[in-house]
Amino acid sequence: MVILRLTLLVFVAWTTSAWASDCPRQGTLGTSRILEVDAAKYPRVGLKSFPQTLPLDDKEVVLTFDDGPAATTPRILAALARECVLATFFQVGRSSQALPGLVKKVTMGGHTLGHHTWSHPHLNAMTFETARDNIDRGIAADEAALHGKATNVPSTPFFRFPYFESTPELLEMLQARGIVVFGADFWASDWLPMTPQDELKLITGRLKAARKGIILFHDPRAQTAAMLPDFLKYLRVNGYRVVHVVPKPKGADMHGNADDTPKTH
């Protein structure tokens, strides 16, 4: 039993390291680079909501998934793993509380875990205090699922508003706490009923027009889980590159400098 546990720990460590750098399998899309996002320089990103987005080059994309974890999340993770691609998952707290094993599976695969409130409400229709409490309850549930201890201080300070419905007061509060607010540059509209083939046509058309950016999907959507392998193949065949976002460590950068320029690996 001890040997088995050690073997599993070695396997998890190897896969996380491999997916975060070079893919161990030939002919896969892979993750081209890791982008450290500093909350001081990039407090709000995504052109659908804000004037600023991440510093991406032509044909670079960031893959994000909202509203999980869900029964379809393992299919999403499997498709990403087959192509050695890393993504960011914005979790709903009550779902994290119900499915803590899937929350851990997301991060064990090397993916970034962000936050998406406790119950996915319309925050702009609430009082500031009620909205803040829903945000904090969601963060606490995500952290409890991941680390076994509830706290409203996120280990990954990334947040996305449900429906992109922010308020100036909530944006200021999150910025003061050093939490990056993610919008999106474009999306798959996968909250609408459509076939996987129609979704693939829609998102590839939008990608051709935008050429780069933060893409929004929803991992609870079965049509997205069915479509994702073909979309990743499309990225690979057409020369797109996937960028994985992580928070910039607090303090000096990797060279000991005190600037706030985004670092890539």
Side-chain angles (χ1 to χ4, degrees), residues 36-45 52 157-158 174-181 246-250 260:
E36 293 180 355
V37 181
D38 178 27
K41 189 173 180 65
Y42 292 93
R44 304 158 194 168
V45 293
Q52 182 182 46
F158 290 173
L174 292 166
Q175 185 171 356
R177 291 168 60 178
I179 297 174
V180 180
V181 175
V246 299
K248 179 182 177 182
K250 293 181 179 180
D260 58 1

Side-chain angles (χ1 to χ4, degrees), residues 180-203:
V180 180
V181 175
F182 275 76
D185 295 320
F186 57 101
W187 46 64
S189 298
D190 55 355
W191 54 86
L192 301 174
M194 66 181 84
T195 67
Q197 294 75 22
D198 286 341
E199 184 177 338
L200 179 64
K201 181 179 179 180
L202 184 152
I203 191 59

Side-chain angles (χ1 to χ4, degrees), residues 200-218:
L200 179 64
K201 181 179 179 180
L202 184 152
I203 191 59
T204 54
R206 290 175 177 175
L207 177 56
K208 288 178 184 177
R211 296 194 61 86
K212 63 179 180 179
I214 304 166
I215 308 177
L216 167 65
F217 297 103
H218 292 80

Side-chain angles (χ1 to χ4, degrees), residues 2 4 11 58 61 83 105 177 191 198 233 241 249:
V2 173
L4 177 59
F11 174 75
D58 187 49
V61 296
E83 291 287 345
K105 188 171 183 178
R177 291 168 60 178
W191 54 86
D198 286 341
K233 180 180 178 181
R241 300 175 304 281

Side-chain angles (χ1 to χ4, degrees), residues 130-192:
T130 302
R132 179 195 59 203
D133 290 348
N134 199 285
I135 292 170
D136 283 343
R137 188 180 179 189
I139 292 171
D142 295 337
E143 295 296 324
L146 187 57
H147 301 295
K149 183 178 180 180
T151 174
N152 65 4
V153 179
S155 52
T156 299
F158 290 173
F159 176 80
R160 180 176 271 153
F161 280 89
Y163 314 105
F164 298 109
E165 293 175 345
S166 62
T167 69
E169 295 79 12
L170 291 172
L171 288 171
E172 290 174 8
M173 180 270 293
L174 292 166
Q175 185 171 356
R177 291 168 60 178
I179 297 174
V180 180
V181 175
F182 275 76
D185 295 320
F186 57 101
W187 46 64
S189 298
D190 55 355
W191 54 86
L192 301 174

